[in-house]
Amino acid sequence: MFRSLFVSAVRQQPKLLRASMQQAAVRGFSACGPMREGIPSLNTLSEDEEMMRDVVSRFAREVVQPKVAEMDEKEIMDPQVIRGLFEAGLMGVETPVDLGGAEASFLSAILVVEELAKIDPSVSAMCDVHNTLVNTVFRSYGSDALKSKYLPQLSSEKIGSFCLSEAVSGSDAFALQTRAVLDGDHYVINGSKMWITNSEEAGIFLVFANVDPSKGYKGITCFVVEKDMGVVIAKKEKKLGIRASSTCQLSFDDVRVPVENVLGEIGKGYKIAIEILNEGRVGIAAQMVGLAQGAFDSAMPYLFERKQFGTRIGDFQAMQHQYAQIAVEIEAARLLTYNAARMKEEGKPFIKEAAMAKLYASQVAQRASAKAVEWMGGVGFTRDLPVEKFYRDCMIGAIYEGTSNIQLQTIAKILAKDYQA
């Protein structure tokens, strides 16, 4: 049902795009100045993007929300939720229609991540990694044969996992030690990976391994590895937050991968990782924006139900200033995120903007969820209400797909280059 609603919109995309451009021109009118055509606000969405957002919001409320507490408690993703993600068309957002996807915009994928995170950041994380990392790597770097073979599976039934980090290579990702040795018409992979999202449920893994350590990072190559080729889950991590999202250590012991499963060029895996993580950072920013909004939406009604000293606590000026400030910060984080997404769609450099969006959105998520717990007092501290989970979930935003310090370093390097003579 959810999938049919969105796919019908996608098939009308050219007409809808023209209509949205006309509407944008109309909305460009301002009583304070002349009409400016073709320059919509960052919050202006095409009709198919609006439909995508509405469909995902409904899916999150009706399918995901009833299972959130149980999934968090059991630390497992409900199979019905996973099946629902595929049936709703949310696991191939940008994938071409002829390969089973929706062929929607990058911002559509970002909206999916944001809307899911308002209800459960764990489900959002699964969808984000699958779409903005795994699917995008196939679309951008895969051969026609690899795309034809794997993208339909990733759109309909199999979860994807992105395997870069290792025990000795976190922020210094290119220090990885997993090896791939050519043996006839196969590469033999040996090594291990850590902190791998989606790894428990995944059927398709993008594994980064070095084919020639003497070349340093220029030996790193990306391989498509199917689970039944010998991927072993060595340990599932027990985490503070996003507990339903699996994070595991993986072992690769003499895993034989056909040479045709090299994704991209030999020795160019480092380039794939660098470029794709910029898109992934916009995805994490969207997750943190959604999380912040979810925490805010959960806490705000309580402020106008709870009374102390005969006054609703939301009417005290000190409280008004706090929730007004958080609302401003959430909106600012959202605009940073949407701006980075639109710049990516326009083919403009967006490395700095992606880093800024992820950095700030993760900071706002921490402040918003902490305030939500504080505003609700004792009940906010209990596990009966969702705000404490948002608080636990938000902490990962400053860590994965580049720590906050890495984002600051990235921003600083670009600024230094811009301002140096």
Side-chain angles (χ1 to χ4, degrees), residues 12-192:
Q12 301 177 57
Q13 192 169 5
K15 182 173 74 173
L16 293 174
L17 182 57
R18 288 194 297 271
S20 67
M21 289 175 68
Q22 292 168 355
Q23 292 169 8
V26 172
R27 283 193 287 267
F29 175 77
S30 170
C32 299
M35 181 185 295
R36 303 183 68 189
E37 296 185 1
I39 309 178
S41 71
L42 286 172
N43 277 318
T44 300
L45 306 177
S46 65
E47 289 188 34
D48 57 312
E49 288 168 343
E50 288 180 351
M51 177 167 280
M52 172 66 92
R53 182 182 60 188
D54 294 343
V55 167
V56 179
S57 177
R58 181 179 170 187
F59 173 83
R61 293 193 310 271
E62 295 182 3
V63 179
V64 178
Q65 193 164 36
K67 301 179 181 296
V68 171
E70 182 180 5
M71 291 194 299
D72 182 63
E73 189 70 29
K74 294 182 177 180
E75 302 188 19
I76 191 168
M77 191 69 67
D78 191 297
Q80 292 184 7
V81 170
I82 297 175
R83 185 163 56 251
L85 289 169
F86 283 113
E87 291 175 352
L90 305 182
M91 301 303 269
V93 179
E94 296 178 84
T95 300
V97 171
D98 60 358
L99 294 176
E103 203 166 339
S105 64
F106 178 60
L107 184 60
S108 293
I110 293 307
L111 293 170
V112 170
V113 174
E114 179 185 356
E115 290 301 317
L116 289 173
K118 291 177 182 178
I119 302 299
D120 189 357
S122 292
V123 177
S124 177
M126 168 176 276
C127 196
D128 178 33
V129 169
H130 185 94
N131 277 291
T132 67
L133 295 184
V134 179
N135 285 346
T136 303
V137 169
F138 273 103
R139 288 196 324 277
S140 302
Y141 303 98
S143 65
D144 289 341
L146 287 177
K147 287 188 281 190
S148 296
K149 180 178 181 179
Y150 289 108
L151 282 175
Q153 297 180 52
L154 289 164
S155 296
S156 62
E157 59 177 334
K158 290 188 178 180
I159 298 292
S161 185
F162 187 84
C163 308
L164 179 63
S165 297
E166 299 181 6
V168 298
S169 59
S171 294
D172 183 12
F174 298 153
L176 63 84
Q177 296 181 351
T178 297
R179 288 289 315 278
V181 178
L182 185 62
D183 181 23
D185 58 358
H186 284 73
Y187 277 91
V188 180
I189 298 178
N190 282 281
S192 62

Side-chain angles (χ1 to χ4, degrees), residues 348-384:
K348 297 176 180 178
F350 69 104
I351 295 173
K352 180 183 69 177
E353 288 74 16
M356 286 180 167
K358 181 187 182 292
L359 172 69
Y360 189 65
S362 65
Q363 294 171 342
V364 171
Q366 290 185 15
R367 288 194 289 270
S369 56
K371 281 298 181 183
V373 173
E374 181 183 335
W375 294 340
M376 298 188 76
V379 296
F381 196 68
T382 70
R383 298 183 69 177
D384 295 331

